[in-house]
Amino acid sequence: MTEQQPVTILGAGLAGSLMAILLARRSIPVRILERRTDPRKHQLSAGRSINLALADRGIHALKIAGVYDAILPLLTPMPGRMLHDVNGQTQFAAYGQQAHEVIYSVSRPGLNEMLLNHAEQLPNVELHFEQACTAIDFVTRHLHIAGRDELHEHTEPFTQLIAADGAQSIVRRTLHDACNAQITDELLPHGYKELTLPSNHGQHQLQRNALHIWPRGGFMLIGLPNLDGSFTLTLFLAFNSSEPDQPSFASLQDAASIEYFFKQHFADVLQLMPGLAEQFLSHPVGKMVTVRSSTWTNGRNAVLIGDAAHAMVPFHGQGMNCAFEDCIELDALLQQHEFGIACERYQQQRLPNANAIADMALENYIEMRDTVRDPKFALQKQLSFELERRLPDRFIPRYSMVMFHYEIPYAVAYERGRIQTQILNELTAGVMHIDQIDLHQAVELVMNRLAPIASRHAHASSG
Ligand code: FAD
């Protein structure tokens, strides 16, 4: 009997480490190659203390991989948004209307380390750090690897390659040339900067159980809670602006302009953050990109997962959730088909969904930084919840379909969301209050335009 060749996974980030666990649990040997040093042995650099929103799709995948219980202690529930206006007034808006409709703040390094620890404990997983892939040959099935220094440059054979090497994926670029793939790479003209709002002797300085948003029209600040009492704040802002009165990262280059900017727009935050300007100046500005590729596999020996296949902007909090969903769908297909066919089916199944969530993520930037301030937004949300209560098998708010219903594919959420928006616009035209809406007509409209949908929570809703 010949020994089973390991599956090679490139990248030990969130997708790579979860994929390794899924395969290894089925006794498939896995060899992971990662460019970075082992994150469990090194401190993060300043400004990289990112936390992420984990939602239903990610949770479902973590449960399938058998690691969710271990991750539970890392989670802080966020049942809704806390909106901060320029005067420092706050307003809480729940994301959903059922107790389980909650998203969770989780430390990205904490989650990654937990997944790596799980992977490492499985007998058939080999983890190799400081192994940067610099080229791939799909014909001879070799990876060129640069190690710590020139002495460690070598080639590695592979039989089957799962590329989880992130938004700048070298495997995607090589597939592009080998398969004549169509790739679009759309850089957002806005960047982001992460800042830490420290704890007050271990206590959170803002309401702990919420995702905080300071929407300011053209830009916004958001804050997610950490377990140690701090918040990770992220400022999303244009890199440059042609209008002198419009702020941009380019206009915030010294302590005076930074403090003035925060005083004008986020005065409540400024008073909680001594040393804000210093922190601001020492942290990098990140870029956000939407990558769409027509080809995620060569149909033989290589396939892309996670950001390598479909990097998206972070405004729906779905990049990681979608990456985890990739892992469970690919793993399920690998249980039914040989590698090449499974990868082809995975691409067919996932690509329309990845494109749909990439579009919804772009749309959500406008909603988070601007539309949430509009009274019409609150009215439509109230009406959505009312329609969901009356017709739980037909009308589920789009945000809820994406965040709380893993059984509804992204593409279906996108399409039904489009119809729902039309219905809501029609019903709220010229209306200020929900009492002015004929709810019987509203129900009829929904019955006529939306077919029932199989939702695993529909039965739990009641009038
Ligand atoms: P990565 O996490 O980028 O991992 C790729 C790994 O591959 C890295 O370890 C890298 O070192 C390694 N690698 C790269 N190139 C090579 C090479 N040549 N050789 C070897 N190794 C290599 N998602 C959410 O679900 N919720 C959120 O709230 C959320 N918020 C976000 C906020 C911001 C500001 C940003 C930027 C992203 C956010 N995301 C969020 C998206 C999420 O971070 C990504 O979708 C997720 O990290 C993708 O995981 P991945 O494993 O595919 O890629």
Side-chain angles (χ1 to χ4, degrees):
M1 210 173 80
T2 55
E3 206 182 317
Q4 190 175 7
Q5 291 301 307
V7 172
T8 300
I9 297 181
L10 191 67
L14 296 170
S17 43
L18 186 69
M19 193 72 225
I21 294 170
L22 288 164
L23 295 176
R25 278 166 59 98
R26 297 195 289 109
S27 306
I28 296 172
V30 176
R31 187 169 165 78
I32 310 186
L33 305 173
E34 165 59 49
R35 181 174 59 189
R36 290 176 302 170
T37 52
D38 188 338
R40 297 166 298 178
K41 295 184 183 148
H42 295 89
Q43 281 279 311
L44 278 176
S45 57
R48 307 305 307 170
S49 65
I50 196 172
N51 49 21
L52 304 164
L54 176 69
D56 201 39
R57 292 168 202 269
I59 291 171
H60 177 57
L62 292 168
K63 283 182 179 166
I64 288 186
V67 294
Y68 183 60
D69 286 348
I71 281 154
L72 272 173
L74 302 182
L75 305 182
T76 305
M78 299 186 292
R81 291 170 170 157
M82 184 71 80
L83 298 178
H84 297 244
D85 74 14
V86 268
N87 302 315
Q89 298 295 314
T90 55
Q91 198 184 3
F92 180 80
Y95 281 127
Q97 45 185 344
Q98 296 187 41
H100 63 86
E101 294 184 331
V102 169
I103 60 174
Y104 297 89
S105 175
V106 63
S107 142
R108 178 215 281 261
L111 178 55
N112 204 166
E113 286 171 25
M114 180 75 83
L115 292 174
L116 287 172
N117 287 339
H118 267 269
E120 199 168 52
Q121 277 159 22
L122 293 164
N124 36 7
V125 174
E126 283 177 36
L127 266 169
H128 301 275
F129 292 95
E130 297 179 81
Q131 305 288 306
C133 173
T134 53
I136 305 113
D137 188 328
F138 295 120
V139 179
T140 64
R141 297 179 188 238
H142 278 88
L143 303 176
H144 293 258
I145 300 291
R148 222 164 304 144
D149 50 48
E150 282 168 15
L151 284 178
H152 292 87
E153 271 181 34
H154 62 284
T155 55
E156 283 256 348
F158 70 88
T159 311
Q160 294 162 341
L161 175 66
I162 299 182
D165 53 337
Q168 303 300 325
S169 170
I170 188 167
V171 183
R172 183 180 69 239
R173 279 179 272 139
T174 314
L175 265 181
H176 171 252
D177 298 337
C179 305
N180 228 351
Q182 304 294 312
I183 297 184
T184 59
D185 204 326
E186 193 188 324
L187 182 69
L188 202 71
H190 290 209
Y192 70 94
K193 188 179 287 253
E194 286 152 9
L195 301 163
T196 302
L197 191 159
S199 75
N200 181 9
H201 303 290
Q203 300 297 309
H204 290 86
Q205 300 203 67
L206 302 170
Q207 157 64 255
R208 176 177 188 258
N209 293 114
L211 192 156
H212 293 261
I213 309 182
W214 291 257
R216 296 295 180 261
F219 56 95
M220 69 175 179
L221 184 70
I222 68 166
L224 272 74
N226 295 313
L227 292 176
D228 66 358
S230 66
F231 276 82
T232 301
L233 304 183
T234 311
L235 174 66
F236 295 95
L237 178 68
F239 289 114
N240 292 290
S241 167
S242 49
E243 310 284 321
D245 57 334
Q246 284 301 313
S248 67
F249 279 116
S251 69
L252 299 176
Q253 298 290 346
D254 55 65
S257 58
I258 294 161
E259 275 167 22
Y260 180 69
F261 170 71
F262 272 78
K263 207 170 183 172
Q264 254 191 324
H265 301 289
F266 312 112
D268 52 347
V269 173
L270 183 63
Q271 64 182 19
L272 301 176
M273 290 181 70
L276 167 74
E278 260 169 54
Q279 209 192 128
F280 193 98
L281 289 168
S282 62
H283 290 188
V285 178
K287 293 179 179 167
M288 291 169 284
V289 64
T290 303
V291 175
R292 296 173 210 259
S293 172
S294 63
T295 306
W296 293 3
T297 177
N298 59 10
R300 285 179 289 121
N301 53 28
V303 66
L304 308 174
I305 61 171
D307 278 13
H310 49 64
M312 66 189 75
V313 297
F315 306 111
H316 222 307
Q318 281 293 306
M320 162 188 67
N321 287 283
C322 179
F324 285 173
E325 205 172 64
D326 289 349
C327 295
I328 54 168
E329 290 197 19
L330 178 59
D331 186 50
L333 288 162
L334 286 169
Q335 293 177 49
Q336 297 163 32
H337 308 283
E338 64 87 12
F339 192 81
I341 292 174
C343 294
E344 296 272 15
R345 300 246 167 121
Y346 155 81
Q347 176 185 307
Q348 276 165 17
Q349 207 167 292
R350 292 300 292 161
L351 217 149
N353 288 315
N355 283 334
I357 185 58
D359 286 335
M360 291 190 278
L362 283 163
E363 287 174 19
N364 230 41
Y365 189 25
I366 317 282
E367 176 171 319
M368 284 178 85
R369 71 178 201 227
D370 199 15
T371 328
V372 283
R373 304 183 299 174
D374 186 344
K376 189 80 158 201
F377 178 83
L379 174 65
Q380 292 201 344
K381 188 160 180 198
Q382 199 186 356
L383 178 58
S384 295
F385 280 175
E386 185 57 42
L387 291 172
E388 187 184 30
R389 278 195 291 276
R390 289 177 184 232
L391 298 165
D393 63 337
R394 284 183 200 252
F395 194 106
I396 304 168
R398 187 174 94 175
Y399 184 87
S400 302
M401 284 193 274
V402 171
M403 304 305 271
F404 308 131
H405 288 266
Y406 71 75
E407 75 285 3
I408 302 178
Y410 289 121
V412 174
Y414 193 32
E415 183 48 24
R416 290 181 77 94
R418 200 181 52 74
I419 299 167
Q420 291 181 174
T421 302
Q422 278 168 4
I423 294 174
L424 294 174
N425 285 341
E426 281 173 39
L427 290 168
T428 58
V431 165
M432 302 298 288
H433 196 272
I434 195 156
D435 291 347
Q436 296 168 270
I437 298 168
D438 178 346
L439 290 171
H440 293 293
Q441 186 210 341
V443 163
E444 217 161 278
L445 217 54
V446 173
M447 298 284 283
N448 288 339
R449 296 203 199 155
L450 286 164
I453 185 164
S455 151
R456 71 187 204 288
H457 297 312
H459 65 280
S461 299
S462 63

